[in-house]
Amino acid sequence: MALEDAKTQVDEAFTRQKRRGLSYENAFGGATSFLRRRYSKDLVGVDVAVTGIPFDQAVTNRPGARFGPRAIREASTLQAFDAPYGWGYDPFSTLSIVDYGDLAFDYANVAQTPARITEHLRGILAAGVTPLSMGGDHYVTLPILRAVAEIYGPIALIQFDAHSDTWVDDDPARIDHGTFLYKAIKEKLVDPKASVSVGIRTDNPDTLGVTILDAPFVHRKGLEAVITKIKQVVGRRPCYITFDIDCFDPAFAPGTGTPVWGGLASWQAAEILRGLRGLMLVGGDVVEVSPPYDTTGATAIAGAHVLTELIALRGLVPSGTSL
């Protein structure tokens, strides 16, 4: 974890020559990108593009998720020195990864945001690149899924969350973080029969056929049962993983708009994600990190680790799979 050349190993967000490999830049200095990847809009030869969507508008309690991408990038500097633990390989050497920068959010014209998010993701997907996004509140997943479904059709969704987000909302003009999945299913972007929600711990009268592995199920039945059930439901379908940071118990991630006790511990989420290797992952996101409500930075650290796990999952998509 030491610099090899203090004169050159700085600002690797702009100066690094290779897209693969680890980074030994000082965690406390330099231009901040996700995991010290190079900022680039050039997607030729790229496997994964990490992008930020700094948007929030109608969260239940505490806004601030628009600051999530910035905080996650900063937290990720502590993870850039080593391959993620527990995977048995180095995804940073296997995959070509760039930080694609952020979508610009016009806070004075919120109605434009959904179409702009979809267009932003279309550009990544059109290059044959897997998108991994940093939110932003959970609404951003809906316009992302519109772009993903244009290529893959109704996909399998794995949702980590405290809330099912399938409350009734038939107004297409509403931009609501709590109804993204209701609309995604109604628009046939997501196949509920092939989808799973993990960590749920709030009531909802209708989850539209999505398999619910609520937080008590995780705690009582154990992680192997959770992993087995997710794989059984999703099967070999192209799948997208959305991770609302309030899936974690507030003890592990207090900086979110809707903290709910009784959630997953960080070690549980890590074990579940590592158990999902082999899935046909076509994209993913981490949402609802609200750093103003967590001066410790623990929530952003959790978000950075989840994104890193998604990168590791992407690196193990079976060979010969068309992405």
Side-chain angles (χ1 to χ4, degrees):
M1 293 177 62
L3 292 176
E4 294 176 358
D5 187 342
K7 291 186 293 184
T8 61
Q9 285 184 281
V10 67
D11 295 330
E12 290 199 321
F14 304 108
T15 63
R16 67 180 295 138
Q17 298 300 308
K18 298 179 180 179
R19 290 173 176 158
R20 290 179 170 84
L22 301 172
S23 173
Y24 300 100
E25 183 173 346
N26 287 323
F28 52 79
T32 306
S33 63
F34 186 71
L35 291 172
R36 302 294 194 187
R37 301 298 94 186
R38 186 179 179 88
Y39 278 113
S40 180
K41 299 295 187 183
D42 179 5
L43 296 178
V44 176
V46 171
D47 298 308
V48 174
V50 179
T51 189
I53 305 178
F55 170 82
D56 62 23
Q57 187 255 342
V59 294
T60 305
N61 182 34
R62 304 186 300 191
R66 65 183 62 181
F67 296 105
R70 179 182 296 176
I72 290 170
R73 283 188 176 99
E74 182 178 353
S76 77
T77 62
L78 289 168
Q79 298 167 230
F81 308 109
D82 299 297
Y85 184 78
W87 286 91
Y89 88 109
D90 176 9
F92 307 130
S93 296
T94 301
L95 298 170
S96 174
I97 307 167
V98 299
D99 190 322
Y100 195 65
D102 285 353
L103 170 82
F105 166 44
D106 185 351
Y107 58 84
N109 199 342
V110 176
Q112 279 189 350
T113 300
R116 294 193 67 250
I117 294 173
T118 300
E119 189 62 28
H120 185 70
L121 269 292
R122 279 188 188 127
I124 297 172
L125 289 159
V129 176
T130 300
L132 296 178
S133 302
M134 302 174 281
D137 72 41
H138 216 158
Y139 176 80
V140 305
T141 304
L142 175 61
I144 290 172
L145 290 174
R146 287 172 179 151
V148 173
E150 287 174 355
I151 296 176
Y152 297 102
I155 62 165
L157 182 76
I158 304 173
Q159 174 193 12
F160 291 82
D161 209 327
H163 316 87
S164 66
D165 291 342
T166 55
W167 287 281
V168 176
D169 182 1
D170 291 313
D171 182 351
R174 292 189 73 250
I175 298 175
D176 190 331
H177 79 298
T179 61
F180 92 89
L181 186 50
Y182 178 88
K183 290 182 175 178
I185 292 172
K186 294 297 182 178
E187 291 182 27
K188 300 188 184 326
L189 311 176
V190 167
D191 180 355
K193 296 188 294 297
S195 299
V196 185
S197 294
V198 182
I200 305 302
R201 51 197 189 278
T202 51
D203 287 328
N204 190 329
D206 188 358
T207 55
L208 302 180
V210 174
T211 296
I212 303 297
L213 306 180
D214 62 12
F217 181 96
V218 177
H219 301 323
R220 295 169 183 166
K221 299 295 185 180
L223 303 182
E224 288 301 323
V226 174
I227 294 165
T228 299
K229 187 63 177 178
I230 293 173
K231 288 185 170 182
Q232 177 186 24
V233 172
V234 172
R236 306 296 291 175
R237 297 280 297 274
C239 71
Y240 184 96
I241 295 178
T242 180
F243 198 110
D244 188 327
I245 210 71
D246 69 23
C247 179
F248 288 122
D249 188 272
F252 297 89
T256 181
T258 47
V260 184
W261 80 332
L264 271 60
S266 58
W267 66 267
Q268 290 175 309
E271 288 298 307
I272 294 170
L273 289 169
R274 291 167 193 169
L276 296 180
R277 62 187 69 209
L279 291 183
M280 305 302 177
L281 184 69
V282 298
D285 63 54
V286 176
V287 297
E288 307 234 353
V289 173
S290 296
Y293 304 99
D294 179 8
T295 57
T296 71
T299 309
I301 291 170
H305 275 280
V306 170
L307 265 181
T308 303
E309 301 296 287
L310 296 184
I311 288 172
L313 272 175
R314 169 60 183 83
L316 292 178
V317 171
S319 60
T321 300
S322 177
L323 290 176

